[in-house]
Amino acid sequence: MIQIPGIIDPHVHVREPGATHKEDWDSATAAALAGGVTMLLAMPNTRPPVTDADTLQLALDSASARARCDYAQFLGAGADNAASAAPLAGRVAGLKMYLDQTYGPLRLDELHTWMEHFTHWPETAPIAVHAEGRTLAAVILVAMLHDHPLHVCHVATQEEILLIRAAKEKGFPITCEVTPHHLFLSTEDLPRLPGGRGEVRPRLARPQDVQALWDNLDVIDCFATDHAPHTLAEKYGPNPPPGFPGLETALPLYLTALAGGRLTLDDIITRCYTNPRRIFGLPEQPQTWVEIDPAARGEIRAADGYTRCAWTPFEGFPVQGKITRVVLRGQEVFKNGQVLAQPGTGRDIRSRSYLSQ
Ligand code: DOR
Ligand code: ZN
Ligand code: ZN
């Protein structure tokens, strides 16, 4: 048996409020615990998007009623909320800026709006960006001009990881995350993912891009699922939305890479716990850990999962390494395939009363 700290997933689309047919705080956090994730940071591209005090309260009320693991909510950067968002910084995971087209209404087109957000958002509070290719180069410059640390979501290509390496080598405080689908899937998997199943942003990249991520593992600060559930009916429909579920399959995939000698246990713990805690300023979860049987072999099956979207792009993948038990703040919350935590037992790690409730 191996024991590791509770996994922190800094990039999860919970879908509540607004799209609970895809997922909600109950099903997302059940999937999280089944995947060894004891703390998640929730993205703001919900309906309505989380961009002000009222919509933040709406999201936090849903979370407080139904979450089974600990969490914080991101605030979304909008066209006109730069000044009003800043006072909320202490209550959220960070500010999320969508700078390229993806799912939801939060894309920021205007460079002056980017500048306003970097001007207002407190220096010590995290900013995470969806920025691909040249957009990434542009936002690195804007962050540098404001002396603001930058966290880059879901790096997918060789040019992006090399750009981040170059910025790090100049001493710029930039950090980044990579998803399991960009580490373990490429354009060569698209024939296996018909209809809109293969749609995701950033898109699955060429095998040489995937290789570049592995070759530059030292530049990758975090592994983050970008768990983005959509139903199969939507994925096969006329305008398939981009996104893959990932909460339950990520750790088994990393453990399989561990068994194959591609990752060390330290590689996993650093990127799934130590670095997310440092980058987002997250508290320790006392008496919290994940137990793993490193020898157990199996196959990824969506039918075994808790996510409401009920599919996975990794269907049938052979895996080695099984999560046998999860303990969160002293409570057994997952054992032998069963989620034992009740909805409403998860806590907001940004609330002043975290740990004293
Ligand atoms: O594929 C994606 N899906 N990429 C994103 O940036 C958003 C996400 C979603 O919310 O569905
Ligand atoms: Zn994104
Ligand atoms: Zn995302």
Side-chain angles (χ1 to χ4, degrees), residues 293-318:
D293 175 354
R297 289 172 191 267
E299 234 176 52
I300 291 180
R301 298 240 167 267
D304 300 336
Y306 283 86
T307 176
R308 186 161 297 153
C309 74
W311 74 282
T312 166
F314 300 105
E315 187 72 36
F317 272 45

Side-chain angles (χ1 to χ4, degrees), residues 11 13 96 98 102 130 153-154 201-202 226:
H11 193 143
H13 297 272
K96 176 69 185 284
Y98 288 93
T102 181
H130 180 131
C153 296
H154 45 48
R201 298 292 178 276
D226 195 4

Side-chain angles (χ1 to χ4, degrees), residues 14-70:
V14 171
R15 304 299 189 209
E16 186 178 10
T20 53
H21 65 288
K22 300 176 198 274
E23 199 82 287
D24 66 10
W25 277 95
D26 180 348
S27 60
T29 53
L33 291 174
V37 172
T38 55
M39 187 192 297
L40 63 79
L41 305 185
M43 285 295 152
N45 62 337
T46 45
R47 268 185 307 194
V50 178
T51 53
D52 59 18
D54 288 347
T55 47
L56 175 61
Q57 201 54 54
L58 193 65
L60 292 182
D61 286 348
S62 322
S64 145
R66 279 179 282 288
R68 304 177 195 239
C69 72
D70 293 348

Side-chain angles (χ1 to χ4, degrees), residues 3 9 19 53 67 131 157 172 175 225 263-264 311:
Q3 190 168 313
D9 190 341
T157 64
F172 179 62
T175 54
T225 62
L263 290 174
T264 65
W311 74 282

Side-chain angles (χ1 to χ4, degrees), residues 69-83:
C69 72
D70 293 348
Y71 57 87
Q73 173 67 50
F74 271 98
L75 201 70
D80 49 22
N81 71 343

